[in-house]
Amino acid sequence: MTPYRSRLRAWTVAFLAAVALPAALLGPPTSASAANTLTMLGADVSSVQRSLDLGARYYDAAGTARDPLDILKGVGVNYVRLRVWNNPASGWNNKAKVLAYAKTVKAKGLKLMIDFHYSDTWADPGKQYKPAAWANHGIGQLQTDVYNYTYDVCTSLRDQGTTPDSVQIGNEINVGMLWNDGKVVNNDFTNLSLLLKAGYQATKQCNGGTQVIIHTANADSMDHARWFYDGIRAKGVQWDLTALSYYCMWHGTLANLYNVITDVRTRYGKPVVLTETAYPFTAANADNEANAINGTEPCAGHQASWTGQATEFSWVQDTARNAGAVGVFYWEPTWYAVPGNGWDPANINGTGNQWDNMAVFNWTGQVNPSIRWRP
């Protein structure tokens, strides 16, 4: 995920450059299936360390100030996702910061997912910028770069007693990563497959039990998901978990989500997890940075309110569970409007927060009293 308003448009342009596909498939309404359990009840809290350092306070439903991880754990979270950027201008979400916060995560008894962007800044379907240090590297050197960087971060976490339970090799890599060398053009997955194999091998060399995740934002249609995962499978890429992003305003109905999860789960024989989802609790804006999602056009009739947010999140979990998925992660539930924690790592103090209406904590740090993560 990245809080850019042009995200959907950029992804569409990038995808059409790779291959022309028919419109997203829409399926029938979701139907309850045999009871399944969501074992990965997650939250991506990558921004929270910066917020806390700036003095942010977090309050539970009773109004008591507490550590945000304790509050989230109290409403069902058992897994934390942290993004890592190679050399961000602000320093935030670099290896050192992730290592430091991983200790807090593990001390709380929570599992840990590391989300490798392989960039100095946001990577998503519309952009996959190489880190500056790798800017002039071709595909051969990039394979070594991905292997070495992945192995270094993973082993550093392992050696301090915070071995990651799972890692993502790339973030929302709908048409590849480390562009342009790792971009899928004319349906050619060769270079991307080489990079994914390097990341997989590095992770397993670090710790054989760490699950490798391949993550796209292809919850919008089975055609898009099949194009991507068929493409990498045909090149011999291995992975352990198939991950999707789902935002109803971009990816369609819950019925469609159900169909996509069911299809990729059965087609590839791997557990499926939604590593990103979110919903607005207000249409208002807390700062001078326009919101990524304005909240004025709610999905499934859910208003942008505490109740609407909690209901939509509950329905997403129900849909994932009924489709046989194993987990759902809320993206950046703790990122409320704290001055100095802006969206742009190159200007973190001078930019605002495009996600302040999407967090599960309001602008003074009170948690949504109705939000729950449920097995």
Side-chain angles (χ1 to χ4, degrees), residues 7 9-21 123-129 170-193 195-196 214-218 224-225 227-229 232:
R7 179 176 180 272
R9 177 171 57 83
W11 143 235
T12 302
V13 170
F15 186 81
L16 291 176
V19 62
L21 288 175
D124 63 42
K127 57 189 174 303
Q128 296 279 336
Y129 304 128
N171 186 76
E172 295 187 328
I173 56 172
N174 294 30
V175 288
M177 64 188 198
L178 291 166
W179 292 355
N180 285 321
D181 297 82
K183 190 172 187 177
V184 180
V185 179
N186 296 326
N187 301 303
D188 186 356
F189 285 83
T190 301
N191 283 2
L192 175 61
S193 72
L195 299 174
L196 295 177
I214 304 296
H215 172 219
T216 68
N218 282 332
H224 292 172
W227 174 81
F228 179 88
Y229 291 103
I232 63 170

Side-chain angles (χ1 to χ4, degrees), residues 57-64 66 68 71-72 75 281 306 309 333-334 336 359-373:
R57 302 287 297 272
Y58 292 86
Y59 301 89
D60 64 19
T64 302
R66 299 172 59 197
I71 297 172
L72 291 173
V75 294
F281 71 87
W306 275 150
Q309 181 185 68
T334 57
Y336 73 89
V360 306
F361 292 85
N362 68 14
W363 303 336
T364 53
Q366 281 77 28
V367 72
N368 181 341
S370 300
I371 202 83
R372 295 291 185 275
W373 282 250

Side-chain angles (χ1 to χ4, degrees), residues 237-278:
V237 173
Q238 294 177 280
W239 73 99
D240 301 315
L241 290 170
T242 302
L244 302 168
S245 295
Y246 175 73
Y247 298 93
C248 59
M249 60 290 300
W250 295 327
H251 298 123
T253 65
L254 290 171
N256 184 60
L257 174 65
Y258 177 91
N259 290 339
V260 174
I261 292 173
T262 301
D263 187 69
V264 297
R265 178 176 57 81
T266 56
R267 190 175 183 86
Y268 307 108
K270 302 178 190 303
V272 177
V273 58
L274 299 183
T275 50
E276 294 186 21
T277 193

Side-chain angles (χ1 to χ4, degrees), residues 37-38 41 75-76 313-315 317-318 321 372-375:
T37 300
L38 298 177
L41 303 171
V75 294
F313 184 50
S314 179
W315 285 19
Q317 291 178 85
D318 289 345
R321 184 186 303 105
R372 295 291 185 275
W373 282 250
R374 297 180 292 104

Side-chain angles (χ1 to χ4, degrees), residues 84-102:
V84 60
W85 289 330
N86 289 46
N87 187 27
S90 67
W92 292 94
N93 303 122
N94 65 12
K95 173 188 168 183
K97 298 295 186 184
V98 170
L99 285 170
Y101 202 62

Side-chain angles (χ1 to χ4, degrees), residues 5-351:
R5 296 182 296 282
S6 59
R7 179 176 180 272
L8 181 60
R9 177 171 57 83
W11 143 235
T12 302
V13 170
F15 186 81
L16 291 176
V19 62
L21 288 175
L25 291 170
L26 293 179
T30 59
S31 58
S33 62
N36 185 50
T37 300
L38 298 177
T39 56
M40 301 171 71
L41 303 171
D44 185 317
V45 295
S46 298
S47 69
V48 76
Q49 191 179 12
R50 169 74 172 173
S51 293
L52 289 168
D53 283 359
L54 290 168
R57 302 287 297 272
Y58 292 86
Y59 301 89
D60 64 19
T64 302
R66 299 172 59 197
D67 185 286
L69 291 184
D70 290 332
I71 297 172
L72 291 173
K73 188 174 179 181
V75 294
V77 169
N78 65 13
Y79 218 125
V80 164
R81 179 185 191 237
L82 299 177
R83 65 177 167 267
V84 60
W85 289 330
N86 289 46
N87 187 27
S90 67
W92 292 94
N93 303 122
N94 65 12
K95 173 188 168 183
K97 298 295 186 184
V98 170
L99 285 170
Y101 202 62
K103 293 180 180 178
T104 301
V105 170
K106 289 287 191 173
K108 300 287 186 184
L110 299 164
K111 290 190 174 181
L112 176 66
M113 179 191 298
I114 299 298
D115 176 13
F116 286 96
H117 283 227
Y118 302 112
S119 182
D120 296 332
T121 186
W122 302 100
D124 63 42
K127 57 189 174 303
Q128 296 279 336
Y129 304 128
K130 292 180 186 177
W134 304 356
N136 297 320
H137 294 179
I139 189 62
Q141 181 59 47
L142 287 171
Q143 291 176 71
T144 301
D145 294 334
V146 168
Y147 182 94
N148 288 345
Y149 183 70
T150 306
Y151 184 77
D152 176 58
V153 173
C154 184
T155 56
S156 295
L157 286 162
R158 183 196 66 195
D159 292 348
Q160 70 171 14
T162 60
T163 302
D165 298 280
S166 59
V167 304
Q168 284 187 205
I169 307 301
N171 186 76
E172 295 187 328
I173 56 172
N174 294 30
V175 288
M177 64 188 198
L178 291 166
W179 292 355
N180 285 321
D181 297 82
K183 190 172 187 177
V184 180
V185 179
N186 296 326
N187 301 303
D188 186 356
F189 285 83
T190 301
N191 283 2
L192 175 61
S193 72
L194 295 173
L195 299 174
L196 295 177
K197 289 175 183 179
Y200 181 91
Q201 292 164 1
T203 302
K204 296 301 184 179
Q205 187 66 35
C206 166
N207 180 57
T210 297
Q211 294 182 300
V212 173
I213 296 168
I214 304 296
H215 172 219
T216 68
N218 282 332
D220 62 318
S221 90
M222 284 190 287
D223 278 353
H224 292 172
R226 286 181 177 186
W227 174 81
F228 179 88
Y229 291 103
D230 281 3
I232 63 170
R233 182 174 64 175
K235 292 294 184 179
V237 173
Q238 294 177 280
W239 73 99
D240 301 315
L241 290 170
T242 302
L244 302 168
S245 295
Y246 175 73
Y247 298 93
C248 59
M249 60 290 300
W250 295 327
H251 298 123
T253 65
L254 290 171
N256 184 60
L257 174 65
Y258 177 91
N259 290 339
V260 174
I261 292 173
T262 301
D263 187 69
V264 297
R265 178 176 57 81
T266 56
R267 190 175 183 86
Y268 307 108
K270 302 178 190 303
V272 177
V273 58
L274 299 183
T275 50
E276 294 186 21
T277 193
Y279 198 76
F281 71 87
T282 180
N285 185 12
D287 57 25
N288 60 6
E289 191 79 44
N291 292 335
I293 298 166
N294 62 31
T296 59
E297 298 178 2
C299 303
H302 300 149
Q303 297 302 309
S305 64
W306 275 150
T307 300
Q309 181 185 68
T311 302
E312 173 67 13
F313 184 50
S314 179
W315 285 19
V316 169
Q317 291 178 85
D318 289 345
T319 301
R321 184 186 303 105
N322 289 341
V326 297
V328 175
F329 283 66
Y330 198 103
W331 195 76
E332 288 284 12
T334 57
W335 196 14
Y336 73 89
V338 179
N341 197 7
W343 64 267
D344 185 357
N347 186 17
I348 196 168
N349 290 305
T351 51

